[in-house]
Amino acid sequence: DAKTTQPNSMESNEEEPVHLPCNHSTISGTDYIHWYRQLPSQGPEYVIHGLTSNVNNRMASLAIAEDRKSSTLILHRATLRDAAVYYCILRDPPVTNFGNEKLTFGTGTRLTIIP
Amino acid sequence: EAQVTQNPRYLITVTGKKLTVTCSQNMNHEYMSWYRQDPGLGLRQIYYSMNVEVTDKGDVPEGYKVSRKEKRNFPLILESPSPNQTSLYFCASARARAHEQYFGPGTRLTVT
């Protein structure tokens, strides 16, 4: 699996936007970019995924660089509940070959929200 | 409510005493998987299953067994637990060829 690089930690003020970066310079043309987060004492939780275009859902937005070597997860208005470890993960497209759907988690970014 | 459940959530046991951690999902997912999470090592896959009666090893299968007799259940079995299996365990499930995976709340196991 291609490797991702994320900052170890970030802080943000409550109710302000948060931009979480991820570098993936060795991404292949078919790799999807996934984001999961793990709140304290909970299992990982899917946030969003994308391939080339920017994506939005109820939880966040994903901005993907034109060369796909980096991406940014955007939380538009952070709340205390968004304090978690955020993981950026690259995956082969699952629709073409159903096999081991293993997620390779790195160390992620620990996001602290300041009240 | 769509969910993955695990039991027990916390378990303290002694070396060599067989135990089973249950995992159940109510989403009719084909794919299920077990991970362990250790400080500094992140989440590592133990076993996975692509459907009933189809299981295979992940990255760290030694000391573990699994079974998939029903689609909704995927128990993790430790026949003879050892202290190095002290860890936080997560079960996950997914629909075939889907992007999103669902994780259970975790089971914290301590083997003394």
Side-chain angles (χ1 to χ4, degrees), chain B residues 3-108:
Chain B
Q3 59 181 351
V4 178
T5 57
Q6 295 179 226
N7 282 293
R9 294 289 314 279
Y10 302 91
L11 179 60
I12 301 174
T13 189
V14 296
T15 299
K17 186 176 181 182
K18 180 179 178 180
L19 66 92
T20 299
V21 183
T22 65
C23 172
S24 183
Q25 49 93 5
N26 63 359
M27 296 167 280
N28 202 37
H29 285 168
E30 292 84 358
Y31 178 83
M32 297 185 75
S33 179
W34 277 102
Y35 292 83
R36 60 178 289 174
Q37 185 173 30
D38 302 289
L41 297 175
L43 283 98
R44 296 176 292 168
Q45 190 187 52
I46 303 170
Y47 268 94
Y48 69 96
S49 170
M50 291 169 59
N51 215 324
V52 175
E53 303 292 0
V54 181
T55 64
D56 207 346
K57 297 176 181 178
D59 295 323
V60 288
E62 294 77 22
Y64 304 95
K65 286 175 57 177
V66 292
S67 69
R68 188 92 182 273
K69 293 184 170 55
E70 304 166 283
K71 200 171 188 179
R72 64 183 293 128
N73 296 323
F74 190 45
L76 180 69
I77 303 156
L78 285 72
E79 295 268 2
S80 183
S82 63
N84 65 12
Q85 293 178 299
T86 292
S87 186
L88 181 57
Y89 291 86
F90 291 103
C91 181
S93 75
R95 185 168 49 85
R97 301 181 182 83
H99 285 279
E100 180 176 353
Q101 292 195 21
Y102 296 79
F103 284 78
T107 295
R108 185 166 292 282

Side-chain angles (χ1 to χ4, degrees), chain A residues 4-25:
Chain A
T4 63
T5 304
Q6 302 176 251
N8 287 333
S9 62
M10 291 183 63
E11 286 186 349
S12 180
N13 294 319
E14 192 177 10
E15 299 186 3
E16 290 189 357
V18 181
H19 291 236
L20 296 161
C22 181
N23 287 319
H24 29 79
S25 58

Side-chain angles (χ1 to χ4, degrees), chain A residues 40-98:
Chain A
S41 303
Q42 294 189 29
E45 174 187 32
Y46 167 84
V47 178
I48 201 167
H49 76 273
L51 182 62
T52 55
S53 305
N54 295 343
V55 185
N56 301 296
N57 66 19
R58 63 175 178 80
M59 291 181 68
S61 295
L62 176 59
I64 301 172
E66 197 169 330
D67 63 5
R68 299 203 338 119
K69 294 185 186 300
S70 66
S71 60
T72 302
L73 180 71
I74 303 165
L75 307 179
H76 294 286
R77 195 162 167 268
T79 69
L80 295 177
R81 198 192 171 280
D82 292 318
V85 179
Y86 286 78
Y87 298 97
C88 171
I89 299 168
L90 303 183
R91 286 190 62 197
D92 293 333
V95 295
T96 57
N97 185 23
F98 179 46

